[in-house]
Amino acid sequence: LVLDSQLEDWKNKVGWLEGEQPNLDMIINKLGLPATEEEVLRIIAVSATNSFSKDLEPADDSGRSCSSSRWTKARVIYLLSSMMSHSCCPNAEQTIGSQETGLEFTLRAVRSI
């Protein structure tokens, strides 16, 4: 399974490389992973191209929702969903369920397919 990175497109996006510099520094310098900058950028680009984001509601230590104002943004990759075509005129919309439902991914047609 190979997921597209569209790395060159991401590199051409104004501000993308600068925005990813803290991630590069952490992965290469602080974690000391044996990877080149290009390899790390490719992994970041694969995630940006194929993942879906979800704001996770605050939870207590047991995983139940709580009233805290600290939300977390998660990026998840659903392998089959990421293989679907991307379109500027999509015919479907996705939703991601709550943490309690295991972040279940749902895709629904919004017009005839």
Side-chain angles (χ1 to χ4, degrees):
L1 176 68
V2 177
L3 298 176
D4 189 13
S5 72
Q6 298 184 12
L7 180 55
E8 293 308 313
D9 291 337
W10 284 107
K11 284 182 176 181
N12 291 328
K13 186 176 179 183
V14 175
W16 186 77
L17 281 172
E18 295 81 6
E20 294 302 335
Q21 196 59 50
N23 295 325
L24 284 169
D25 290 342
M26 182 189 66
I27 292 168
I28 294 173
N29 300 325
K30 291 184 181 169
L31 297 178
L33 296 179
T36 66
E37 184 173 305
E38 190 73 9
E39 290 169 328
V40 173
L41 284 173
R42 185 165 302 285
I43 291 167
I44 293 170
V46 164
S47 174
T49 301
N50 298 285
S51 66
F52 301 89
S53 65
K54 168 74 175 175
D55 290 323
L56 301 177
E57 58 274 0
D60 61 19
D61 290 339
S62 67
R64 290 180 297 211
S65 294
C66 66
S67 60
S68 170
S69 61
R70 295 186 62 193
W71 286 67
T72 302
K73 181 174 285 280
R75 295 197 70 77
V76 293
I77 294 179
Y78 297 92
L79 292 178
L80 291 177
S81 301
S82 66
M83 302 303 282
M84 294 179 202
S85 300
H86 300 284
S87 173
C88 293
C89 299
N91 57 13
E93 65 182 17
Q94 53 89 11
T95 57
I96 300 173
S98 68
Q99 293 177 74
E100 287 86 14
T101 63
L103 300 177
E104 180 179 82
F105 183 88
T106 305
L107 187 69
R108 290 191 174 86
V110 294
R111 59 184 171 89
S112 295
I113 299 177

